[in-house]
Amino acid sequence: MKVSVVTPTLNGVEYLRECIESSRASARNGIEVEHVIVDAGSTDGTVELARSLGATVLQGKDRGIFDAINKGSFAASGELLGFLGADDVLLEGGLEAVVEAYTTQRRRWVVGGIRWIDGRGRGLGGLAAPPNWMTPRMLVCLGWNPVMHMATYIARDFYAELGGFDHAFKDCGDYEMFCRALAREPYARVGRPVACFRRTGQNNSANLAHKARALGEVARVKAVHGPSSRAEDLFWRYALKGYFNARNPDWLVSKQLDFGRSRLKLQPHAHF
């Protein structure tokens, strides 16, 4: 089976080799991998490196990251489409697990778990794939997106049916499209981590560079897919929060440590 991995880039050379080599290493046991780099005008050697590693490179201006992913996805030729950031990596055996779930569970999209790593590749915890009984109504009550794009693969025909990502969303286009996908049909769940999400402080998801805009986009998604009842909203929010905390103990510990560090930074320094 041919799988296309799409990576949008702009001056992403620092981690790109590891990203592309992780997808190349996944081409085994009957899996062919096509890695498509969609570059918005890098000047740091990103394009040259990608080509030297055998990736297909598309160049040109875009209307944001989700427009770039759409360009790469519609130009790709794989039966399955996946999305990997230039600083993310596929885990060994991850793609094989995705393909197995796709072929055995007979769903048109597949969601796996992720591991978080820092700039040096050190582990920061992980997040398992959400339960496949989750509905869009439940998902938007949670208020954030646990369907991680670097661990999500969509059949080409389903992606076309959905029309790809809505590029009007600049920060939460994955959240919005995955809600639309889930409204149509459930996903096949992979019970293991598929990819590593690198938290460097540079990507939007890590540093919330556009927090107000992102919160506005989340509200737009919720207005379409969420319940009108405040009671139902609170029920699913806390039910799913409890589920994720219980199923992801290392993630829970990591959150508590992050919270503790944030509080220490906010405390005034004592003077002696």
Side-chain angles (χ1 to χ4, degrees):
M1 176 184 293
K2 188 174 186 178
V3 179
S4 296
V5 176
V6 179
T7 298
T9 60
L10 178 61
N11 295 326
V13 74
E14 183 176 3
Y15 300 107
L16 187 62
R17 178 180 293 276
E18 187 178 357
C19 172
I20 294 175
E21 288 182 345
S22 73
S23 69
R24 290 174 61 186
S26 299
R28 59 186 187 183
N29 296 329
I31 300 173
E32 179 185 354
V33 178
E34 172 190 50
H35 203 141
V36 180
I37 305 296
V38 187
D39 191 77
S42 294
T43 57
D44 65 347
T46 288
V47 170
E48 293 78 8
L49 176 63
R51 285 177 173 154
S52 74
L53 293 174
T56 299
V57 179
L58 305 178
Q59 294 177 274
K61 297 293 183 180
D62 55 60
R63 291 170 288 183
I65 189 171
F66 297 109
D67 183 38
I69 294 174
N70 279 344
K71 288 180 179 179
S73 297
F74 287 120
S77 57
E79 181 176 345
L80 271 178
L81 302 172
F83 323 106
L84 200 62
D87 51 2
D88 301 329
V89 293
L90 282 170
L91 287 167
E92 183 178 356
L95 201 54
E96 291 174 90
V98 166
V99 170
E100 181 181 6
Y102 174 69
T103 55
T104 60
Q105 297 184 45
R106 298 183 181 278
R107 298 293 185 185
R108 291 196 292 170
W109 63 310
V110 181
V111 177
I114 59 102
R115 301 295 300 174
W116 278 296
I117 57 175
D118 66 10
R120 298 181 181 179
R122 296 175 298 193
L124 299 173
L127 183 67
N132 52 9
W133 43 258
M134 187 174 66
T135 66
R137 196 180 186 92
M138 299 177 194
L139 174 57
V140 296
C141 291
L142 188 60
W144 58 278
N145 183 21
V147 182
M148 294 292 165
H149 68 266
M150 69 288 298
T152 300
Y153 287 77
I154 302 179
R156 161 179 298 283
D157 65 332
F158 192 32
Y159 189 89
E161 191 177 302
L162 292 166
F165 293 95
D166 183 346
H167 61 75
F169 287 81
K170 303 303 180 184
D171 300 294
C172 302
D174 50 353
Y175 194 21
E176 189 276 336
M177 191 180 83
F178 296 158
C179 280
R180 282 190 285 121
L182 195 54
R184 291 177 181 245
E185 57 188 77
Y187 48 78
R189 182 181 185 276
V190 176
R192 56 152 289 171
V194 169
C196 287
F197 179 12
R198 195 184 302 270
R199 295 173 62 181
T200 63
Q202 299 301 312
N203 39 19
N204 269 7
S205 299
N207 65 11
L208 295 180
H210 306 289
K211 185 175 181 179
R213 184 175 70 186
L215 289 174
E217 291 183 359
V218 168
R220 287 167 59 192
V221 176
K222 191 170 185 178
V224 174
H225 298 282
S228 57
S229 164
R230 174 67 173 166
E232 184 181 351
D233 179 87
L234 289 173
F235 173 80
W236 286 120
R237 181 186 305 175
Y238 288 105
L240 286 172
K241 183 177 180 180
Y243 175 92
F244 283 112
N245 285 339
R247 293 297 183 96
N248 299 278
D250 59 345
W251 175 64
L252 178 59
V253 170
S254 180
K255 284 197 304 177
Q256 291 172 336
L257 289 173
D258 284 345
F259 178 71
R261 284 191 289 266
S262 297
R263 291 195 64 183
L264 284 173
K265 289 179 181 178
L266 292 173
Q267 289 178 358
H269 295 289
H271 296 279
F272 296 96

